[in-house]
Amino acid sequence: MIRVCEKQISAEEAIKMIQMGDRVLVGGFGICGTPFTLIDTITESDNARELTIISNNLGEAGKGLGKLLTSKQIKKAVGSYFTTNRDAVKAWNNGELEIELIPQGSLAEAIRAGGAGIAGFYTKTGVGSKLAEGKEVRVFDGEEYLFVKGIKANVALIKADKADTMGNLVYSKTARNFNPMMATAADYVIAEVDEIVEVGTLDPEQIVTPHAYVDAVVLNDRYEKIGGEYIERSR
């Protein structure tokens, strides 16, 4: 039985919050924990273009954010690992995509800092590399540290396993990845979920993202989870 969440809206209505040129946080590691339904819906929109996507990677060719890349709606990608998607490498080589690389741990901490209202932090990671070019380096206790600015965005698209009817979220194993941090670091947070349950059904100890962080909930109605993999339903 499908419950109705007080914050539930359609994917089409949700992505209207994304405007031309917005910075958008998108959950996922590879394609694990990726909000497929929301991404697919964006590719059908005329408004959400020239986007800066902040995510660990750009999905895979034709999957997840790979679809958004193919539809040429991404202007810039900020993340750690783009070579799993040959289309991303090709777009960068052709000058069609700007890429800003940031080490994975620094990316996670920058998003956490942005959500916590922290301007930035210093880390030894990246010191002396090309990633440090043009960035502030300071010396603490005789060692160099690189300044990394906290990350915030206009909108966050996250993927959770379940929401209750208030919008509290639980995640499924490694599909949790960057999603909880991203839920704290955007002006508007849209959570895609596979199931909505009644308040009181979820174990409070398992709730990772409280409803106060979630502005909208979208029920995944395009993909079916089979053997741990999301398969697009025929439409």
Side-chain angles (χ1 to χ4, degrees):
M1 179 180 178
I2 299 176
R3 269 70 175 189
V4 177
C5 172
E6 61 185 42
K7 296 181 179 180
Q8 184 178 353
I9 58 177
S10 69
E12 290 76 14
E13 186 178 357
I15 62 98
K16 289 179 182 178
M17 294 301 300
I18 304 174
Q19 302 299 313
M20 180 83 72
D22 271 357
R23 289 168 56 87
V24 183
L25 286 157
V26 183
F29 189 103
I31 55 175
C32 178
T34 296
F36 291 112
T37 295
L38 289 169
I39 292 170
D40 285 5
T41 307
I42 294 172
T43 65
E44 300 161 3
S45 167
D46 293 327
N47 295 329
R49 295 188 175 275
E50 299 289 309
L51 302 176
T52 294
I53 297 295
I54 305 159
S55 190
N56 182 62
N57 54 283
L58 289 179
E60 297 178 1
K63 295 182 179 179
L65 285 170
K67 287 188 176 182
L68 202 59
L69 179 65
T70 302
S71 64
K72 299 187 182 300
Q73 290 168 267
I74 303 176
K75 178 181 180 181
K76 180 178 180 180
V78 179
S80 302
Y81 195 63
F82 299 117
T83 53
T84 53
N85 187 346
R86 62 181 181 272
D87 291 337
V89 177
K90 182 179 178 181
W92 179 76
N93 281 329
N94 292 340
E96 300 169 351
L97 176 69
E98 298 175 42
I99 285 180
E100 180 181 337
L101 288 174
I102 178 170
Q104 205 166 72
S106 297
L107 175 65
E109 181 63 9
I111 296 168
R112 189 200 69 80
I118 298 171
F121 59 94
Y122 290 93
T123 176
K124 293 174 69 174
T125 304
V127 170
S129 72
K130 287 189 175 182
L131 297 180
E133 292 180 359
K135 297 181 180 178
E136 178 189 354
V137 175
R138 289 187 62 180
V139 176
F140 296 94
D141 298 325
E143 296 191 74
E144 292 185 335
Y145 288 77
L146 177 68
F147 180 74
V148 178
K149 187 178 179 181
I151 290 176
K152 293 203 70 175
N154 302 104
V155 179
L157 308 179
I158 64 173
K159 175 66 173 65
D161 185 40
K162 297 178 183 178
D164 66 18
T165 51
M166 285 185 67
N168 295 301
L169 305 179
V170 297
Y171 300 90
S172 176
K173 302 176 182 177
T174 56
R176 172 172 169 172
N177 52 70
F178 291 89
N179 286 292
M181 290 173 290
M182 290 182 173
T184 69
D187 297 330
Y188 193 85
V189 177
I190 307 168
E192 177 181 327
V193 300
D194 293 336
E195 185 180 359
I196 297 173
V197 299
E198 296 290 353
V199 169
T201 303
L202 301 177
D203 180 352
E205 296 295 330
Q206 299 300 314
I207 293 173
V208 177
T209 300
H211 65 89
Y213 286 105
V214 179
D215 295 293
V217 173
V218 170
L219 188 64
N220 163 31
D221 60 2
R222 296 194 182 197
Y223 288 79
E224 184 177 1
K225 194 173 184 181
I226 301 175
E229 182 177 356
Y230 284 91
I231 307 298
E232 190 172 1
R233 296 187 179 102
S234 57
R235 299 175 65 192

